[in-house]
DNA sequence: ATTTTCAGCGTACACTTGTACGCACAAAGT
DNA sequence: ACTTTGTGCGTACAAGTGTACGCTGAAAAT
């Protein structure tokens, strides 16, 4: 019944992480968390925090990693669904919407810290988003676009999707469908716009 | 030589506002400001703060208003330049770039607080952005698009421009031109995409 | 069986924070 | 000339912060 030491340690480590995530909200960004409050909710003494993390920043980086993991799982899911013959645009958006419902706090972290105050977190978030963009760029390039155009498209699309995601976090359930529709429409604009300009260019 | 009372009051009020703005940076969002530090820099006693603002939130709203003013001046400038025969896309982007260089801190406020922790600030920022979107929607609608499509285009464009703006804040001078070019390209995608789809739709 | 390791605790300290209260003193109002 | 008004100041306090230090007790290593 008793746990081994490493099991025990991992358990309270998770308790800290979970406490931190649960305290994130629209009203509290990571920078607003306090070590004491996190440890209080995790059920340990404030000073015990240091047995697991050097400081709050290190915890923050761990959280961002966690988000990155979630994001990459989404991406894999999207790619799978796409290879089975779905539209890239629609599946991507739908899956993105899904997570904002499922675990809004993890998602919020990404939003807050992208323009947040801690440099390490900002760059970490940027890296995750960049991962997204690069992945999409590769795909677009494989369809026949040049690198520059592909990147522009990918970046624009990610910006649109994230923008929609931010709207979703604040929206009521009744507005959700509408936001989703609009995001899809916007992505279509970009895709067909790039297509049209591509055709026009190759005609010359 | 001595100032009238209202002049004096306005002067220290500005000192507070300026101190607050100057303390905003990539490393410190508004929520991270402390009343004491602001007053310290403004050169007044902490408690004197209350002679001008009910609390920090009220100061925050004042700052957002200040940003809104700046934004609207930009918009007017863009409209003017556009009526003299410039491209909407290019002039808008250029002017937007201009301000991120001129007064990055004011602009940063918009970014941080859009996904910030204080609800009042968030809604205030949203209102300013919405103003932008509506203005653009009207224009797009006047070209012959229906309301829904016009709004989708406008929102997408604003998202792109703001995204570029955020990139600019972190970018070195050497990358600036590239970011600007890309943003313009992305806006073009949206515009021609909407156009192409519009044509296709009306043919049916 | 003995020793080592180390997660977790409690105490303690030095800070910073917001703000309540009352006084001073110059400008505005009479 | 006298009174009112109100900005600004200094003091004071309670609450919250991060973290240094030394101890405990059980698991792991010997």
């Amino acid at each position: 019944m008793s746990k081994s030491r490493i099991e025990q340690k991992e358990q309270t480590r998770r308790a800290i992480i979970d406490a931190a995530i649960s305290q994130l909200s629209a009203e509290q960004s990571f920078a607003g968390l306090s070590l004491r409050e996190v440890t209080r909710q995790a059920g340990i003494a404030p000073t015990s925090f240091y047995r697991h993390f050097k400081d709050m920043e290190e915890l923050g980086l761990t959280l961002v990693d966690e988000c990155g993991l979630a994001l990459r799982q989404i991406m894999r899911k999207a790619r799978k669904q796409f290879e089975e013959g779905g539209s890239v645009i629609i599946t991507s958006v739908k899956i993105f919407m899904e997570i904002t419902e499922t675990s809004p706090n993890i998602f919020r972290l990404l939003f807050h810290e992208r323009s947040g105050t801690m440099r390490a977190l900002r760059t970490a978030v940027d890296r995750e988003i960049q991962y997204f963009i690069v992945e999409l760029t590769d795909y677009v390039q494989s369809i026949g676009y040049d690198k520059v155009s592909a990147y522009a498209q990918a970046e624009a699309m990610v910006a649109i999707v994230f923008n929609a995601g931010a709207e979703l976090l604040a929206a009521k359930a009744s507005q959700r469908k509408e936001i989703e529709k609009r995001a899809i429409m916007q992505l279509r604009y970009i895709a067909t716009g790039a297509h049209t300009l591509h055709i026009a260019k190759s005609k010359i």
Side-chain angles (χ1 to χ4, degrees), chain A:
Chain A
M1 205 56 223
S2 66
K3 302 258 178 151
S4 85
R5 197 126 77 151
I6 47 171
E7 277 178 312
Q8 187 59 252
K9 177 159 185 178
E10 177 57 25
Q11 186 177 313
T12 71
R13 186 187 145 93
R14 282 264 22 128
I16 293 176
I17 294 176
D18 291 342
I21 290 180
S22 88
Q23 287 187 13
L24 292 175
S25 68
E27 281 72 32
Q28 189 131 44
S29 75
F30 181 79
L33 296 187
S34 97
L35 184 152
R36 288 182 105 104
E37 277 196 15
V38 169
T39 52
R40 200 174 302 141
Q41 181 171 338
I44 60 173
T47 49
S48 296
F49 178 89
Y50 299 107
R51 303 291 185 197
H52 304 271
F53 302 97
K54 185 174 138 281
D55 49 28
M56 284 298 274
E57 184 168 303
E58 198 172 292
L59 171 59
L61 289 175
T62 305
L63 293 190
V64 174
D65 275 3
E66 199 114 331
C67 294
L69 212 73
L71 278 188
R72 257 162 272 154
Q73 284 172 343
I74 293 171
M75 240 159 48
R76 217 169 300 133
K77 197 171 168 185
R79 205 158 36 205
K80 204 172 184 179
Q81 216 160 323
F82 157 66
E83 279 163 4
E84 287 171 3
S87 150
V88 204
I89 289 178
I90 294 180
T91 58
S92 301
V93 172
K94 292 223 165 172
I95 290 176
F96 210 79
M97 307 285 111
E98 197 180 305
I99 183 186
T100 59
E101 266 186 275
T102 313
S103 43
N105 279 6
I106 286 193
F107 197 60
R108 240 189 285 263
L109 182 72
L110 243 53
F111 268 106
H112 276 143
E113 302 314 321
R114 182 163 67 133
S115 62
T117 58
M118 304 172 87
R119 179 193 291 277
L121 288 195
R122 253 180 297 141
T123 63
V125 170
D126 265 355
R127 196 166 355 101
E128 297 299 338
I129 294 180
Q130 206 60 24
Y131 199 89
F132 236 86
I133 295 180
V134 168
E135 178 94 359
L136 195 51
T137 302
D138 284 351
Y139 167 71
V140 175
Q141 228 176 325
S142 78
I143 307 185
Y145 291 93
D146 63 300
K147 203 172 170 185
V148 175
S149 172
Y151 186 83
Q153 285 179 61
E155 192 198 41
M157 287 181 161
V158 169
I160 295 296
V161 171
F162 268 76
N163 191 56
E167 279 184 73
L168 271 187
L169 284 180
K172 295 171 204 151
S174 61
Q175 305 172 288
R176 226 170 259 160
K177 210 68 195 158
E178 197 187 344
I179 294 174
E180 187 179 314
K181 263 191 189 170
R182 190 164 54 233
I184 291 176
M185 199 190 289
Q186 290 167 337
L187 293 186
R188 252 197 244 292
Y189 288 160
I190 294 172
T192 67
H195 181 67
T196 307
L197 288 173
H198 186 66
I199 301 276
K201 193 178 172 188
S202 61
K203 270 191 181 167
I204 300 175

